[in-house]
Amino acid sequence: MTLRTPKAARQDPRRRLPAVGALCDDPIARPLKARYGAAALTRAVRAVLAEARTRLAIDPDVLPSTGVLLEAVETRLAEGVRETLFPVINATGVVIHTNLGRAPLAPEAMAAAAAAAGYANLELDLDTGRRSSRQAHLDPLIAEMTGAEAGMAVNNCAGAVLLALAAVAEGAPVIVSRGELVEIGGGFRIPDVVAQSGSRLVEVGTTNRTHLRDYEKALADHPEARVILRTHPSNFRISGFTSAPSLESLAHFAHAHGLLLIEDLGGGALVDLSPYGIPDEPTVQSSLRAGVDLVLFSGDKLLGGPQAGLAAGRRALVDQLEAHPLARALRLDKLSVAALAATLRLYRPPSDPFQRIPVLRLLAQHAETLTARAKDLRARVEGLADLEAEIIETEGYAGGGALPMRALPGRALALSCRRLSAEDLAFRLRTGSVRVLGRIEQDRVLIDLRTVDDAEVPALAEAISAAAAGEMSDLSRRYPEVPPSLV
Ligand SMILES: *Cc1c(COP(=O)(O)O)cnc(C)c1O
């Protein structure tokens, strides 16, 4: 009887890779097992085989030998846990990009975080030598910058909403318009957050239209309700036949009936962005002026600081939040406290936040600035073999999921390389020694200059030249038998 290779295995070379057990038991692997232990060896073998399968899916003709695979296993074990988090050059044109860590911090905020990284008087009053709250570093700054009585911050805005509802509604019904029962992204859905806070959701109105009389009726049906929650729809727009009570009238209604109005504002702008192509983003101050009792917003969106969820509003409510057990679970670490305080100080006159806060500076750039930066970059990559680089008009965005996806006019350098597909070029740019994230449009890699700093242009030019020259990426170095054109 002849043993035949099953047809599927002949067609799919990934099935011709050795099994995990076979590689682990190979004599060459014996010293690796002795040095690193069987569990680590198995993990490394699995990881290397997974990478090999990925490579084979791209090029089925190059099957790595057992020797090559075990060499990769040894490298992986020797490296220990590989670094995975790197600084990148953001050439996507999306200023607040959640996948790229949202707001880039101001140098002052970076320095403050670094300075607090050792011992710091995080919860200690230096004058009295007594214990104090970490919120003492933030409360007066948030109050000053927003005009609120008091402020505090927790881990992120989702956490702030959860904490606020848990601490203020305390299980009583929370009234929300059906037009605001949104999902922000990353699984943050208003109905779920209300439920998680231990409160009961009372929906009012319809998807497109909600009136004050809808709130009135809800209150008549649920007289024990304590909170009206207003949510900024963020990345979602209802247009056409729509209506919702103004924030002022809603606040007036709430207070006339002994309710509190809490607003999940998300974006957290402290300055008016309408002169810069973002006309409909409300500021924290305008919400407070309209009568909102507690405004909740992110630290790393339009505020331009570290990840945080800020609460600004009435002193009694902020105190309630601070005293709630969830505040401990959601508390901000010292690096973020330091960076957030430093960021807030940059809003203080005479400092110009549009100069000092990177997010605002990137949003407020003039077309001429972007064009000049594009020309500078093009001059540095012009004449590279096989590379074509054209300056084009394009559209950047304030922010990914969480902000209005309003297009901002911008400039990009559109790259195409004769020997490489746009995907290949983008891959090389992502995985070179300087990591660059662009975007692919119509078979070209766009390097959007809105989100690139002038100081990054030389490194960016070098990264482009290395990528276009076919310098091998880390991944291809692991598999020297794979022709460089494939990675
Ligand atoms: C972004 C956003 C959130 C979540 O903020 P995180 O800081 O990411 O937790 C919540 N609500 C609104 C309206 C948002 O825009």
Side-chain angles (χ1 to χ4, degrees):
M1 196 177 79
T2 48
L3 214 69
R4 297 192 38 201
T5 316
K7 197 157 164 248
R10 266 180 288 134
Q11 283 172 346
D12 185 350
R14 286 173 290 179
R15 299 222 181 156
R16 305 208 316 264
L17 286 167
V20 175
L23 271 188
C24 290
D25 293 337
D26 192 284
I28 303 176
R30 227 169 270 150
L32 298 180
K33 188 183 278 180
R35 184 189 284 174
Y36 299 102
L41 175 64
T42 307
R43 266 199 306 279
V45 164
R46 280 191 206 285
V48 165
L49 284 174
E51 274 186 6
R53 277 193 291 274
T54 309
R55 298 241 66 77
L56 278 169
I58 299 171
D59 182 2
D61 293 336
V62 189
L63 187 72
S65 66
T66 299
V68 164
L69 289 169
L70 284 173
E71 224 170 81
V73 169
E74 179 166 19
T75 309
R76 184 172 268 270
L77 285 167
E79 277 178 359
V81 180
R82 256 202 303 160
E83 252 180 83
T84 58
L85 183 61
F86 300 100
V88 302
I89 293 181
N90 175 6
T92 64
V94 180
V95 175
I96 300 167
H97 196 308
T98 299
N99 300 158
L100 300 184
R102 288 205 183 149
L105 295 182
E108 290 85 349
M110 292 185 194
Y119 290 122
N121 66 315
L122 182 63
E123 294 186 347
L124 189 98
D125 183 330
L126 289 175
D127 289 337
T128 62
R130 296 240 168 89
R131 181 157 197 246
S132 73
S133 158
R134 67 186 63 207
Q135 301 299 343
H137 305 288
L138 299 170
D139 184 331
L141 282 170
I142 297 172
E144 182 183 334
M145 300 317 154
T146 64
E149 279 174 22
M152 68 161 319
V154 291
N155 185 55
N156 58 8
C157 185
V161 175
L162 182 67
L163 174 61
L165 293 177
V168 179
E170 290 186 296
V174 172
I175 304 175
V176 189
S177 161
R178 290 201 169 89
E180 296 167 20
L181 291 174
V182 294
E183 173 179 316
I184 307 294
F188 183 80
R189 295 174 148 192
I190 293 297
D192 297 343
V193 178
V194 174
Q196 288 296 321
S197 77
S199 311
R200 205 146 40 83
L201 177 67
V202 175
E203 305 176 14
V204 299
T206 61
T207 304
N208 55 331
R209 287 169 76 85
T210 302
H211 310 282
L212 271 186
R213 61 173 184 275
D214 296 320
Y215 287 94
E216 244 162 56
K217 183 167 181 315
L219 193 55
D221 294 345
H222 304 275
E224 73 283 20
R226 206 175 276 184
V227 169
I228 294 175
L229 176 69
R230 172 89 159 211
T231 308
H232 186 48
S234 297
N235 50 350
F236 166 71
R237 286 281 171 278
I238 301 180
S239 56
F241 186 54
T242 66
S243 149
S246 72
L247 209 49
E248 284 85 356
S249 60
L250 197 57
H252 191 264
F253 170 85
H255 299 153
H257 294 85
L259 296 173
L260 292 162
L261 178 59
I262 296 180
E263 186 179 26
D264 173 12
L265 194 55
L270 295 181
V271 289
D272 178 17
L273 292 165
S274 55
Y276 307 103
I278 305 172
D280 41 11
E281 185 64 24
T283 63
V284 177
Q285 296 92 315
S286 66
S287 285
L288 290 165
R289 272 198 306 271
V292 177
D293 298 289
L294 196 65
V295 183
L296 310 166
F297 52 103
S298 289
D300 53 357
K301 291 180 182 168
L302 290 168
L303 183 74
Q307 181 187 305
L310 289 81
R314 293 192 192 286
R315 162 67 59 198
L317 295 181
V318 170
D319 288 348
Q320 245 171 290
L321 262 58
E322 273 186 49
H324 193 277
L326 263 182
R328 170 66 180 78
L330 295 169
R331 81 180 179 190
L332 206 52
D333 77 297
K334 63 181 175 181
L335 305 185
S336 305
V337 170
L340 182 56
T343 304
L344 287 166
R345 281 199 185 88
L346 296 175
Y347 280 90
R348 230 183 183 174
S351 160
D352 176 3
F354 283 99
Q355 294 295 323
R356 309 285 294 278
I357 307 268
V359 161
L360 299 178
R361 193 171 58 224
L362 296 177
L363 287 175
Q365 294 170 100
H366 294 296
E368 304 87 79
T369 310
L370 301 176
T371 303
R373 195 174 296 141
K375 283 184 175 161
D376 178 12
L377 181 61
R378 188 183 55 186
R380 289 167 191 266
V381 300
E382 234 163 16
L384 286 175
D386 293 335
L387 190 78
E388 269 180 50
E390 183 197 355
I391 296 175
I392 61 165
E393 294 195 0
T394 182
E395 284 172 344
Y397 294 93
L403 288 163
M405 289 302 287
R406 184 176 288 274
L408 303 168
R411 298 288 180 279
L413 197 63
L415 301 175
S416 49
C417 184
R418 235 157 277 140
R419 289 172 298 103
L420 300 170
S421 70
E423 281 77 15
D424 286 336
L425 184 59
F427 173 81
R428 288 176 188 225
L429 285 167
R430 281 201 310 276
T431 54
S433 56
V434 172
R435 288 154 175 90
V436 178
L437 273 292
R439 61 176 202 270
I440 296 176
E441 255 175 43
Q442 293 175 341
D443 273 340
R444 295 198 286 187
V445 177
L446 301 197
I447 300 295
D448 194 314
L449 280 312
R450 174 174 295 276
T451 41
V452 173
D453 197 273
D454 279 335
E456 290 175 325
V457 171
L460 181 53
E462 271 176 40
I464 292 170
S465 116
E471 186 189 81
M472 284 201 293
S473 68
D474 283 355
L475 204 57
S476 67
R477 266 186 234 116
R478 287 172 181 278
Y479 291 96
E481 78 281 16
V482 177
S485 68
L486 278 168
V487 289

